[in-house]
Amino acid sequence: MIKTPLIRYSLAIICIWVLNLQDTIASNFRSRQACQTSFSTDTVATSSTNPLLDLAEGESFSVLVNTSNCFTNFNRLVLITKENGTLVSRYYMNPSMSPQPFMARAPSTINNGELISTHIMNEANIDFFKNFLLSLSRAKDVGCSTTETYYLKSRAYNLQKLDGSCQWSGFGLLIKELFNQ
């Protein structure tokens, strides 16, 4: 046991300094998360911009999802392409997992996929997509036996994210919003 008041006082000051340092680090971390960041394979920007609005004519944004659980494993794809100034989304079942669909400039280059539905996006769909990306940024792998691995790609956007929460089902929400399915 430390008996001298000077040593106890010194230890108390050190403890307070460490706690303040911890709060400062946590505060800096929170403010860094709120700042605009670039997209990479392991982060999603919490930017106020929507990457769909940055697509040039003929470019595509792909959302490829691999869903796996104890009994099945399947792929689905939403390909959003800017055509004649309008965003057109297409929903494919069982697309190829090759990089080809990611870099497609035209939707006809998707291999091994069955086109299920096509939809011309409106402003509400575009806003929903931005919120979908923000929700995806918060997805976590908490050990659920059903996982959805998201591969999002465009010329300026690249993300791979795993949702193993068994709670969000984000791709299902996206399909319901865009294709009413």
Side-chain angles (χ1 to χ4, degrees):
M1 181 83 178
I2 302 171
K3 296 194 182 221
T4 64
L6 183 59
I7 293 176
R8 280 191 287 184
Y9 179 76
S10 298
L11 287 175
I13 289 176
I14 291 171
C15 287
I16 291 170
W17 179 80
V18 168
L19 291 174
N20 284 338
L21 180 62
Q22 182 182 7
D23 287 344
T24 302
I25 291 170
S27 175
N28 288 343
F29 179 74
R30 282 190 298 273
S31 67
R32 283 179 81 185
Q33 284 184 323
C35 293
Q36 196 170 15
T37 59
S38 62
F39 301 109
S40 69
T41 57
D42 60 356
T43 61
V44 173
T46 57
S47 165
S48 62
T49 63
N50 189 331
L52 295 182
L53 302 177
D54 295 333
L55 291 176
E57 188 66 32
E59 286 186 332
S60 296
F61 188 103
S62 62
V63 180
L64 178 66
V65 175
N66 173 263
T67 302
S68 61
N69 58 36
C70 296
F71 304 105
T72 60
N73 184 11
F74 57 96
N75 303 321
R76 297 170 290 170
L77 172 71
V78 170
L79 187 67
I80 301 168
T81 307
K82 189 166 189 178
E83 300 173 12
N84 298 320
T86 303
L87 292 172
V88 178
S89 57
R90 291 178 174 82
Y91 176 39
Y92 295 88
M93 287 295 291
N94 303 313
S96 169
M97 283 295 286
S98 75
Q100 181 68 22
F102 298 136
M103 301 311 292
R105 288 188 62 86
S108 61
T109 61
I110 304 301
N111 294 323
N112 302 325
E114 175 190 351
L115 179 62
I116 302 298
S117 188
T118 301
H119 173 73
I120 296 175
M121 295 179 71
N122 58 37
E123 193 171 321
N125 299 144
I126 295 167
D127 288 341
F128 180 88
F129 189 80
K130 178 182 164 189
N131 292 329
F132 165 81
L133 292 178
L134 290 173
S135 296
L136 179 60
S137 72
R138 294 185 290 268
K140 295 184 189 300
D141 181 15
V142 293
C144 181
S145 62
T146 299
T147 60
E148 290 187 330
T149 306
Y150 291 79
Y151 304 91
L152 287 78
K153 183 91 172 157
S154 72
R155 172 185 42 82
Y157 193 100
N158 185 16
L159 172 74
Q160 179 178 337
K161 184 77 173 178
L162 178 70
D163 176 28
S165 66
C166 283
Q167 295 175 348
W168 181 47
S169 187
F171 195 76
L173 295 172
L174 182 64
I175 296 305
K176 184 175 181 179
E177 170 69 21
L178 295 181
F179 304 102
N180 216 14
Q181 295 186 9

